[in-house]
Amino acid sequence: MRVIITDSYDQLGKQAAQLISDSINEKPKLVLGLATGSTPLGTYKSLIELHQKQQVSFKQVRTFNLDEYLGLGPDHPSSYHYYMYNNLFNQIDINPDNVRIPKGLSEDLDTECADYEKEIKGVGGIDLQILGIGVNGHIGFNEPQTPFGSRTRVVDLAQETIEANARFFDNRADVPRQAISMGIRSIMHARRIVLLANGASKAWAIERSLQGPVTEDVPASVLQLHPDVTVVLDREAAASLTL
Ligand code: F6R
């Protein structure tokens, strides 16, 4: 596991964006796994800047998002679909046919989840997976106690995740209680993983995940078992690590 500690959130975004851009330039048909939430916003902003400077093109890139809230359609401003178009896709040259986000309004969720896995396999698997981390160590919406063998499926959100994500909704009561999430196993199949974290609220989860025991109590600790993980942190998120 490679750990990069940056001086600021801005630097974290720039470094992560450079890493993604380098991967695309090396393999223009890159299959990219994407996360939402606050953490990757700076990375997406920097990727847009790199694209504007013509240093990277997304024309042939395919993307798969980690998760989507159940019951929210693409036009709902708190859906991850909306987030991705608003914060990245509308400002780069990606082909919308190459974008895949779980369908939160699907009427046949079992088929949707099975299709998601098949589609990832169908394009040869994810080359580079971007991850954020929850305050409880979750990755995607794989909350503590999620079996490491889990695949894309419908999940219940932990209470702390509902609290943490309430800021993206008008009312806490509006936060969906369920989501579709890629599983731990689906994430671990990515060839390369880049985990991003910033801020003091993530220091506990980062220390447990990188230096604690590998346990389903802390889902991101499974990353210790992956052969190619890069962790990009700011100083606050790295504060509890023994270096
Ligand atoms: C989002 C996702 C989540 C977030 C995590 C951190 O697609 O899968 O695991 O990465 O909840 O969220 P933020 O970045 O908002 O602190």
Coordinates of all heavy atoms in Angstrom, one line a residue, residues 36-37 66-74 76-81 83 101-106 109 138 141 154-155 157 161-169 174-181:
T36 N -18.8 9.2 -5.1 CA -19.4 10.6 -4.9 C -19.1 11.1 -3.5 O -18.1 10.7 -2.9 CB -20.9 10.5 -5.2 OG1 -21.4 9.5 -4.2 CG2 -21.2 10.0 -6.6
G37 N -19.9 12.0 -3.0 CA -19.6 12.6 -1.7 C -18.7 13.8 -1.8 O -18.4 14.2 -2.9
L66 N -19.9 3.7 -7.8 CA -20.0 2.7 -6.7 C -21.4 2.4 -6.2 O -21.7 1.3 -5.8 CB -19.2 3.3 -5.5 CG -17.7 3.1 -5.4 CD1 -17.2 4.0 -4.3 CD2 -17.3 1.7 -5.2
D67 N -22.2 3.5 -6.2 CA -23.5 3.4 -5.5 C -24.5 4.4 -6.0 O -24.2 5.4 -6.6 CB -23.3 3.4 -4.0 CG -22.2 4.4 -3.6 OD1 -22.0 5.4 -4.3 OD2 -21.7 4.3 -2.5
E68 N -25.7 4.2 -5.6 CA -26.8 5.1 -5.8 C -27.9 4.9 -4.7 O -28.1 3.7 -4.3 CB -27.4 4.9 -7.2 CG -28.6 5.8 -7.5 CD -28.3 7.3 -7.5 OE1 -28.2 7.9 -6.4 OE2 -28.2 7.9 -8.6
Y69 N -28.5 6.0 -4.3 CA -29.6 5.8 -3.3 C -30.8 5.1 -4.0 O -31.2 5.4 -5.1 CB -30.1 7.2 -2.9 CG -29.1 7.9 -2.0 CD1 -28.5 9.1 -2.4 CD2 -28.8 7.4 -0.7 CE1 -27.6 9.7 -1.5 CE2 -28.0 8.1 0.1 CZ -27.3 9.2 -0.3 OH -26.5 9.9 0.5
L70 N -31.5 4.3 -3.2 CA -32.7 3.6 -3.7 C -33.8 4.7 -3.7 O -34.0 5.4 -2.7 CB -33.0 2.5 -2.8 CG -33.6 1.3 -3.4 CD1 -32.6 0.6 -4.4 CD2 -34.0 0.2 -2.4
G71 N -34.6 4.7 -4.7 CA -35.8 5.6 -4.8 C -35.5 7.0 -5.3 O -36.4 7.7 -5.5
L72 N -34.2 7.3 -5.6 CA -33.9 8.6 -6.2 C -33.7 8.4 -7.7 O -32.8 7.6 -8.1 CB -32.8 9.3 -5.6 CG -32.8 9.6 -4.1 CD1 -31.7 10.6 -3.7 CD2 -34.2 10.2 -3.7
G73 N -34.3 9.2 -8.5 CA -34.1 9.2 -10.0 C -33.0 10.1 -10.4 O -32.5 10.9 -9.6
P74 N -32.6 10.0 -11.7 CA -31.4 10.8 -12.1 C -31.6 12.3 -12.0 O -30.6 13.0 -11.9 CB -31.3 10.4 -13.6 CG -32.4 9.4 -13.9 CD -33.1 9.1 -12.7
H76 N -33.2 13.8 -9.5 CA -33.2 14.3 -8.1 C -31.9 14.9 -7.7 O -30.8 14.3 -7.9 CB -33.5 13.1 -7.2 CG -33.9 13.5 -5.8 ND1 -32.9 14.1 -4.9 CD2 -35.0 13.5 -5.1 CE1 -33.5 14.3 -3.8 NE2 -34.8 14.0 -3.8
P77 N -31.9 16.1 -7.2 CA -30.6 16.8 -7.0 C -29.7 16.2 -6.0 O -28.5 16.5 -5.9 CB -31.0 18.2 -6.5 CG -32.5 18.2 -6.4 CD -33.1 17.0 -7.0
S78 N -30.3 15.3 -5.1 CA -29.4 14.5 -4.2 C -29.0 13.2 -4.7 O -28.3 12.4 -4.0 CB -30.1 14.4 -2.8 OG -30.4 15.7 -2.3
S79 N -29.4 12.8 -5.9 CA -29.0 11.5 -6.4 C -27.6 11.6 -6.9 O -27.0 12.6 -7.2 CB -29.9 11.1 -7.6 OG -29.6 11.8 -8.8
Y80 N -26.9 10.4 -6.9 CA -25.5 10.4 -7.3 C -25.4 10.5 -8.8 O -24.4 11.0 -9.3 CB -24.9 9.1 -6.8 CG -24.6 9.1 -5.3 CD1 -24.3 7.9 -4.6 CD2 -24.7 10.3 -4.6 CE1 -24.1 7.9 -3.2 CE2 -24.4 10.3 -3.2 CZ -24.1 9.1 -2.5 OH -23.9 9.2 -1.2
H81 N -26.5 10.2 -9.5 CA -26.5 10.4 -10.9 C -26.4 11.9 -11.2 O -25.6 12.4 -12.0 CB -27.8 9.8 -11.5 CG -27.9 9.8 -13.0 ND1 -28.1 10.9 -13.7 CD2 -27.8 8.8 -13.8 CE1 -28.2 10.6 -15.0 NE2 -28.0 9.3 -15.1
Y83 N -25.3 14.2 -9.2 CA -24.0 14.7 -8.7 C -23.0 14.5 -9.8 O -22.1 15.4 -10.0 CB -23.7 13.9 -7.4 CG -22.3 14.0 -6.9 CD1 -22.0 14.7 -5.7 CD2 -21.2 13.3 -7.6 CE1 -20.6 14.7 -5.3 CE2 -19.9 13.4 -7.1 CZ -19.6 14.1 -5.9 OH -18.3 14.1 -5.4
I101 N -24.3 4.1 -13.8 CA -24.6 4.4 -12.4 C -25.7 3.5 -12.0 O -26.7 3.4 -12.8 CB -25.0 5.9 -12.2 CG1 -23.8 6.8 -12.7 CG2 -25.3 6.2 -10.7 CD1 -24.2 8.3 -12.9
P102 N -25.7 2.9 -10.8 CA -26.8 2.0 -10.5 C -28.2 2.8 -10.6 O -28.2 4.0 -10.3 CB -26.5 1.6 -9.1 CG -25.1 1.7 -8.9 CD -24.7 2.9 -9.8
K103 N -29.2 2.1 -11.0 CA -30.5 2.7 -11.2 C -31.3 2.7 -10.0 O -31.9 1.6 -9.6 CB -31.2 2.1 -12.4 CG -30.5 2.3 -13.7 CD -31.3 1.7 -14.9 CE -30.6 1.8 -16.2 NZ -30.4 0.5 -16.9
G104 N -31.4 3.8 -9.3 CA -32.1 3.8 -8.0 C -33.6 3.7 -8.1 O -34.3 3.4 -7.1
L105 N -34.1 3.8 -9.3 CA -35.6 3.6 -9.5 C -35.9 2.3 -10.2 O -37.1 2.1 -10.6 CB -36.1 4.8 -10.4 CG -36.2 6.2 -9.7 CD1 -36.8 7.2 -10.6 CD2 -37.1 6.1 -8.4
S106 N -34.9 1.5 -10.3 CA -35.2 0.2 -11.0 C -36.3 -0.6 -10.3 O -36.4 -0.6 -9.1 CB -33.9 -0.7 -11.0 OG -34.2 -2.0 -11.5
L109 N -34.8 -4.9 -8.9 CA -33.5 -4.6 -8.3 C -32.5 -5.8 -8.4 O -31.3 -5.6 -8.6 CB -33.7 -4.2 -6.8 CG -34.4 -2.8 -6.7 CD1 -34.9 -2.6 -5.3 CD2 -33.4 -1.7 -7.1
H138 N -16.6 2.6 6.1 CA -17.3 2.0 4.9 C -16.7 2.4 3.6 O -16.1 3.5 3.5 CB -18.8 2.3 4.9 CG -19.3 3.6 4.5 ND1 -20.5 4.2 4.9 CD2 -18.7 4.6 3.7 CE1 -20.6 5.4 4.4 NE2 -19.6 5.7 3.6
F141 N -21.2 1.8 -0.2 CA -22.1 1.8 1.0 C -22.1 0.4 1.7 O -23.0 -0.1 2.2 CB -23.6 2.1 0.6 CG -23.9 3.6 0.5 CD1 -24.6 4.1 -0.6 CD2 -23.5 4.4 1.5 CE1 -24.9 5.5 -0.7 CE2 -23.7 5.8 1.4 CZ -24.4 6.3 0.3
V154 N -28.7 -4.5 -2.9 CA -29.3 -3.5 -2.1 C -28.8 -3.6 -0.7 O -28.8 -4.6 -0.1 CB -30.9 -3.7 -2.2 CG1 -31.6 -2.7 -1.2 CG2 -31.4 -3.5 -3.6
V155 N -28.5 -2.4 -0.1 CA -28.0 -2.4 1.3 C -28.8 -1.4 2.1 O -29.3 -0.4 1.6 CB -26.5 -1.9 1.3 CG1 -25.6 -2.9 0.5 CG2 -26.3 -0.5 0.7
L157 N -28.4 1.5 4.9 CA -27.4 2.5 5.4 C -27.3 2.5 6.9 O -28.4 2.4 7.6 CB -27.7 3.9 4.9 CG -27.9 4.1 3.4 CD1 -27.9 5.6 3.1 CD2 -26.8 3.4 2.6
T161 N -24.1 6.8 8.8 CA -24.0 7.3 7.3 C -25.2 8.2 7.0 O -25.1 9.2 6.3 CB -24.0 6.0 6.4 OG1 -22.9 5.2 6.8 CG2 -24.0 6.4 5.0
I162 N -26.4 7.8 7.5 CA -27.6 8.7 7.3 C -27.3 10.1 7.9 O -27.5 11.1 7.3 CB -28.8 8.0 8.0 CG1 -29.1 6.7 7.2 CG2 -30.0 9.0 8.0 CD1 -30.2 5.8 7.8
E163 N -26.7 10.1 9.1 CA -26.4 11.4 9.8 C -25.4 12.1 8.9 O -25.6 13.3 8.7 CB -25.8 11.2 11.2 CG -26.5 10.3 12.1 CD -27.7 11.0 12.7 OE1 -27.7 12.2 12.8 OE2 -28.7 10.3 13.2
A164 N -24.3 11.4 8.5 CA -23.2 12.1 7.8 C -23.7 12.7 6.4 O -23.3 13.7 6.0 CB -22.1 11.1 7.6
N165 N -24.7 12.0 5.8 CA -25.1 12.4 4.5 C -26.3 13.3 4.5 O -26.8 13.8 3.5 CB -25.4 11.2 3.6 CG -24.1 10.5 3.2 OD1 -23.0 10.9 3.7 ND2 -24.2 9.4 2.4
A166 N -26.9 13.6 5.7 CA -28.0 14.5 5.8 C -27.7 15.9 5.2 O -28.6 16.5 4.8 CB -28.5 14.6 7.3
R167 N -26.4 16.3 5.2 CA -26.1 17.6 4.7 C -26.4 17.7 3.2 O -26.5 18.9 2.7 CB -24.6 17.9 5.0 CG -23.6 17.0 4.2 CD -22.2 17.2 4.8 NE -21.2 16.7 4.0 CZ -20.9 15.4 3.9 NH1 -21.5 14.5 4.6 NH2 -19.9 15.0 3.1
F168 N -26.6 16.6 2.5 CA -26.9 16.7 1.1 C -28.4 16.8 0.8 O -28.8 16.8 -0.3 CB -26.3 15.5 0.4 CG -24.8 15.4 0.4 CD1 -24.1 14.4 1.1 CD2 -24.0 16.4 -0.2 CE1 -22.8 14.3 1.1 CE2 -22.6 16.4 -0.1 CZ -22.0 15.3 0.5
F169 N -29.2 16.8 1.9 CA -30.7 16.8 1.7 C -31.3 17.9 2.5 O -30.6 18.5 3.4 CB -31.2 15.5 2.3 CG -30.9 14.3 1.5 CD1 -29.6 13.6 1.6 CD2 -31.7 13.8 0.5 CE1 -29.3 12.6 0.9 CE2 -31.4 12.7 -0.3 CZ -30.1 12.1 -0.1
D174 N -35.4 13.0 4.8 CA -35.4 12.8 3.3 C -34.3 11.8 2.9 O -34.2 11.3 1.8 CB -35.2 14.1 2.5 CG -36.3 15.0 2.7 OD1 -37.4 14.6 3.2 OD2 -36.2 16.2 2.5
V175 N -33.3 11.6 3.8 CA -32.2 10.7 3.4 C -32.7 9.3 3.2 O -33.3 8.7 4.1 CB -31.0 10.7 4.5 CG1 -29.8 9.9 4.0 CG2 -30.6 12.1 4.9
P176 N -32.5 8.7 2.0 CA -33.0 7.3 1.8 C -32.3 6.4 2.8 O -31.2 6.6 3.2 CB -32.5 7.0 0.4 CG -32.4 8.3 -0.3 CD -31.9 9.3 0.8
R177 N -33.0 5.4 3.2 CA -32.4 4.4 4.1 C -31.7 3.2 3.4 O -31.1 2.4 4.1 CB -33.6 3.8 5.0 CG -33.9 4.6 6.3 CD -33.8 6.0 6.3 NE -33.9 6.7 7.6 CZ -33.8 8.0 7.8 NH1 -33.5 8.8 6.8 NH2 -34.0 8.5 9.0
Q178 N -31.9 3.2 2.1 CA -31.3 2.1 1.4 C -30.6 2.6 0.1 O -30.9 3.7 -0.4 CB -32.3 1.1 1.0 CG -32.9 0.3 2.2 CD -33.8 -0.8 1.7 OE1 -34.8 -0.5 1.0 NE2 -33.5 -2.1 2.0
A179 N -29.7 1.8 -0.4 CA -29.0 2.1 -1.6 C -28.6 0.9 -2.4 O -28.7 -0.2 -1.8 CB -27.7 2.9 -1.2
I180 N -28.2 1.0 -3.6 CA -27.6 -0.1 -4.4 C -26.1 0.2 -4.3 O -25.7 1.4 -4.5 CB -28.0 -0.1 -5.9 CG1 -29.5 -0.3 -6.0 CG2 -27.2 -1.1 -6.6 CD1 -30.0 -0.2 -7.5
S181 N -25.3 -0.8 -3.9 CA -23.9 -0.6 -3.8 C -23.1 -1.7 -4.4 O -23.5 -2.9 -4.2 CB -23.5 -0.4 -2.3 OG -22.1 -0.2 -2.2

